[in-house]
Every structure is written in C-alpha cells, then in structure tokens.
C-alpha cells in the first residue's frame, strides 16, 4: 500500500514563527498536494507539485510556500504563522496519470 | 469553475437506518467522481469512485451512481453501523480535484 507520512500529528506554534510541515510518500508518485481542511469549507488546495523543484499555486496560497527538492518529499512552509492558519493540513500524492489520490493522516496546527 | 455541493451535516442516525448523503457537481468536462471517508483522527481514505456516466461505485456496503442527467453522485447505504461514524467528502477530478465541504455522520447504537 502507498503510504503518505506527515511528520507531525499535532503542532502548536506562536504567531510569527516560521513553520515547516513535512510530507513523505513512498510510491514514487509524481504529484503531491497540500490542502487545509476547515469545518464547513471542506478541503482547499494550497499548493501542488507535478515534479521535483516544480510548484503551482492552488486556491489559497497566500501566506504559504512549498519546497520539493526530492520526489518523495513535499514541504509546506508558513513563513510567519498567524492565528488564521490554525487548521488541519492534509498532504496527498498521486501518479501523474490516473485519478487516485492517497492522503496522509493530517497535521493539526494551532497558532497561538 | 468546477465545484461540488454536498448536503450539510451533521447527520445522526440510529444503527441499521438507511443513509443518503446528497452530492451534486458542476463541471465543464467529464469528471471522475469520488467519495472519501475520514475517520476520527485520520486522513482521507478513498471509499468508492465512478469514472463515467451510469457507473456505480460500491464498497463496504456503500453505493453511489454517477448520474450525468442530474449531475449527482449521492452516497447510500442500506443499514449503517456505529463504525460508519465519520466525515464523508464528495469529490471530483476534471481539470483538478475539487472537494465538497464534508458531511459528518454519527450513528448511535
């Protein structure tokens, strides 16, 4: 089975801190995605990547950046965390062709 | 743009009750349609999918039929169990992937 591993299940950070959320997949998927999940809003796409060193903005990229230096790892960076970035963050990956996504277990981030 | 609308929750049912969670979509092309389930404390897992009109996806007693004429993909289960308590997301892939807002289901014994 494909595994998508997110490094932390729970994080608490202070306003203004730089925050790194890490995601690793082990099935050589080309595509990787970062979503945030908020009650009543479902999943919203922050950034995605179709290849190493490649990134594309999703629907809500403001306040975030990403890094994909290796195919298996996709990092989400909050340059200066704010309280409105308190959320559940979900990483996903997929092959370039084919509609099946595999999700990680999520990181619940609280910014205080 | 493409979008997914699903019924608002929360939904609370007694064990063995019939479940329907409505989902409708808007898409410019011919999307594939999905239902994902998120159990407490976990990520999303693919529950079932359908890739073309009139396809029926099924898994774990859940079913959904891709209805192009009504642009719908309603999730149904004939007899829910306490272990089905979770959040259910309807989703589509056309040019990119879009999710509904999620519907929380609680099944009481």
């Amino acid at each position: 089975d494909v595994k998508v591993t997110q490094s932390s299940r729970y994080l608490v950070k202070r306003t203004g801190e730089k925050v790194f959320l890490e995601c690793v997949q082990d099935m050589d998927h080309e595509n990787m995605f970062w979503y945030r999940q908020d009650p009543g809003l479902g999943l919203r796409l922050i950034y995605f990547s179709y290849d190493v060193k490649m990134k594309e903005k999703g629907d809500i990229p403001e306040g975030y950046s990403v890094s994909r230096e290796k195919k298996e790892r996709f990092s989400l960076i909050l340059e200066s965390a704010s309280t409105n970035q308190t959320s559940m963050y979900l990483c996903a990956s997929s092959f370039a062709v084919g509609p099946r996504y595999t999700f990680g277990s999520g990181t619940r981030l609280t910014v205080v | 743009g493409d979008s997914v609308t699903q019924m608002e929750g929360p939904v609370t049912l007694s064990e063995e009750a019939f479940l329907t969670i409505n989902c409708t979509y808007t898409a410019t092309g011919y999307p594939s349609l999905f239902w994902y389930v998120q159990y407490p404390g976990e990520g999303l897992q693919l529950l079932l999918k359908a890739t073309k009109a009139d396809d029926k996806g099924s898994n774990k007693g859940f079913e959904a039929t891709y209805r192009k004429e009504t642009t719908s993909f309603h999730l149904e289960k004939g007899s829910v169990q306490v272990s089905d308590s979770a959040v259910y997301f309807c989703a589509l892939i056309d040019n990119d992937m879009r999710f509904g807002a999620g519907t929380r289901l609680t099944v009481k014994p």
Side-chain angles (χ1 to χ4, degrees):
Chain A
D1 277 354
V2 177
K3 279 192 179 174
V4 177
T5 303
Q6 295 183 229
S7 54
S8 304
R9 293 297 297 271
Y10 300 95
L11 277 178
V12 180
K13 297 292 182 180
R14 294 192 181 278
T15 300
E17 277 193 75
K18 190 169 186 175
V19 181
F20 293 86
L21 303 183
E22 304 289 347
C23 175
V24 177
Q25 51 92 5
D26 65 359
M27 279 297 291
D28 206 32
H29 281 173
E30 291 86 5
N31 302 338
M32 298 189 74
F33 308 84
W34 275 106
Y35 291 86
R36 62 177 283 177
Q37 180 185 1
D38 299 289
L41 297 176
L43 276 70
R44 293 180 291 168
L45 182 63
I46 305 171
Y47 268 96
F48 59 98
S49 169
Y50 287 152
D51 202 353
V52 175
K53 295 191 186 295
M54 180 274 183
K55 58 186 179 184
E56 293 286 344
K57 293 180 179 179
D59 297 324
I60 51 164
E62 296 79 17
Y64 303 93
S65 62
V66 289
S67 172
R68 192 161 182 206
E69 296 296 318
K70 295 183 179 181
K71 191 174 186 179
E72 66 270 18
R73 184 181 296 271
F74 192 37
S75 303
L76 180 69
I77 303 157
L78 286 66
E79 296 289 343
S80 177
S82 62
T83 54
N84 63 12
Q85 293 177 310
T86 291
S87 185
M88 169 72 87
Y89 290 87
L90 289 168
C91 176
S93 70
S94 73
F95 285 115
V97 177
R100 183 164 179 160
Y101 284 36
T102 301
F103 283 85
S105 297
T107 297
R108 186 168 292 284
L109 172 67
T110 303
V111 181
V112 298
Chain B
D2 295 352
S3 66
V4 177
T5 302
Q6 62 182 103
M7 65 184 287
E8 293 186 18
V11 174
T12 302
L13 296 173
S14 297
E15 209 165 21
E16 300 184 2
F18 184 86
L19 168 71
T20 300
I21 301 179
N22 290 339
C23 171
T24 57
Y25 68 90
T26 303
T28 53
Y30 300 94
S32 295
L33 302 174
F34 305 84
W35 278 99
Y36 281 84
V37 57
Q38 184 181 33
Y39 298 105
E42 299 184 13
L44 274 69
Q45 302 173 26
L46 179 64
L47 180 60
L48 53 86
K49 64 180 171 77
T51 56
K52 63 183 187 298
D54 299 325
D55 270 3
K56 177 185 282 187
S58 61
N59 185 27
K60 299 182 181 180
F62 291 89
E63 292 183 342
T65 301
Y66 190 145
R67 301 283 187 203
K68 192 168 184 291
E69 64 276 13
T70 55
T71 61
S72 65
F73 193 55
H74 304 322
L75 182 69
E76 296 181 338
K77 187 174 185 181
S79 175
V80 294
Q81 305 300 313
V82 172
S83 58
D84 294 327
S85 297
V87 180
Y88 293 82
F89 291 90
C90 186
L92 68 81
I93 290 181
D94 190 6
N95 296 310
D96 53 22
M97 191 160 198
R98 298 286 168 175
F99 289 86
T103 303
R104 182 176 298 279
L105 170 67
T106 301
V107 180
K108 297 188 173 181

